[in-house]
Amino acid sequence: DTEVTQTPKHLVMGMTNKKSLKCEQHMGHRAMYWYKQKAKKPPELMFVYSYEKLSINESVPSRFSPECPNSSLLNLHLHALQPEDSALYLCASSRTGQGSYEQYFGPGTRLTVT
Amino acid sequence: GESVGLHLPTLSVQEGDNSIINCAYSNSASDYFIWYKQESGKGPQFIIDIRSNMDKRQGQRVTVLLNKTVKHLSLQIAATQPGDSAVYFCAENMNSGYALNFGKGTSLLVTP
C-alpha cells in the first residue's frame, strides 16, 4: 500500500471559520509533510514532522497549526484564513525525515477561502 | 532564489515520439534528485529518482540522466502516450535534509 489519503477533497470556508485538514498513511513512514501549491506553481513546503515531532516550520503564519497525533496521522488546523490562502494543500510521507527517500503525496485538499 | 529550474515551461510531442524534459540546478551540494508527474486535480506522483553517485537510471519507459559537471538533470520518456500528458517537476534534496526543492515544472502535452 503506497497510498496517502487526504480529507476532505474540497473545502470552502469563510475567514472566521475553523476547519481541519486530515492526512493518513499506513506505509510505516516516520516523516510526514504539509505542502501548499498554488495554480501552475510547484509545491511549497510548510511543515515537516519526523517521528511525530515538528522538525521544520517554514515560517508559516500561525493561522495554520499542524498536529501529528500518531505516526499515521497528520492534521492541519485552519483558523482566520485569508483569501490568498486558497490553494491545494498536499500531504506527503517518506520513510525517514532525512532525505534521499522519495516522498509519496496524497491527492490534496482544494481549499477556497471566501 | 530557486536553485532548480526547467528550460522549457511547455513541451508538445506527438504520440509515439520520445520526450525529453530538462532541469538545471545550481547547488552542487544536492545529492538526490527526483522526478514527479502531476496530472490535473491530483497530487504529484513519483516517477524516478537518482542519487548523485550515479549518472543514469532507467525505469519503465523512463530514463533519468544526471550531469553533475553542468548541474543538469533530464527525464526521457520513450514512446510517449496520451496518458503521459501532465506537469513534470524535478526536485532536489540537499545534504540529505528533509526538504525537497521543486523546480518550476514543465507541462507535457501529447498530441495524437
Side-chain angles (χ1 to χ4, degrees), chain A residues 3-99:
Chain A
E3 189 178 26
V4 176
T5 59
Q6 290 187 245
T7 56
K9 293 190 75 171
H10 302 274
L11 179 62
V12 179
M13 61 185 291
M15 289 189 284
T16 59
N17 292 157
K18 284 186 181 180
K19 296 287 183 183
S20 296
L21 309 185
K22 296 186 183 301
C23 173
E24 190 167 3
Q25 58 87 15
H26 294 287
M27 294 178 277
H29 290 174
R30 301 310 298 272
M32 297 186 76
Y33 309 77
W34 280 115
Y35 286 84
K36 173 183 178 180
Q37 187 178 27
K38 302 284 266 185
K40 301 188 188 303
K41 296 289 187 181
E44 297 176 1
L45 183 67
M46 300 175 70
F47 301 104
V48 180
Y49 272 83
S50 178
Y51 295 90
E52 296 91 68
K53 295 197 185 318
L54 183 63
S55 298
I56 292 178
N57 176 342
E58 291 285 354
S59 303
V60 179
S62 60
R63 57 185 184 268
F64 296 91
S65 175
E67 178 197 20
C68 190
N70 59 55
S71 60
S72 300
L73 295 174
L74 186 66
N75 299 322
L76 186 63
H77 303 298
L78 314 174
H79 174 54
L81 294 193
Q82 304 297 311
E84 59 265 28
D85 296 322
S86 298
L88 180 69
Y89 287 84
L90 293 161
C91 174
S93 70
S94 66
R95 269 195 282 167
T96 70
Q98 295 301 309

Side-chain angles (χ1 to χ4, degrees), chain B residues 22-68:
Chain B
N22 296 304
C23 183
Y25 65 96
S26 58
N27 192 331
S28 57
S30 295
D31 56 5
Y32 176 70
F33 304 87
I34 190 167
W35 282 100
Y36 284 97
K37 171 187 179 184
Q38 188 172 24
E39 296 174 90
S40 180
K42 296 184 179 180
Q45 177 188 0
F46 169 83
I47 301 174
I48 193 168
D49 59 359
I50 188 168
R51 288 176 169 71
S52 58
N53 61 352
M54 301 172 69
D55 297 322
K56 178 179 180 179
R57 191 158 188 234
Q58 288 184 291
Q60 191 173 14
R61 278 201 309 119
V62 294
T63 301
V64 56
L65 298 177
L66 176 62
N67 185 331
K68 295 180 284 294

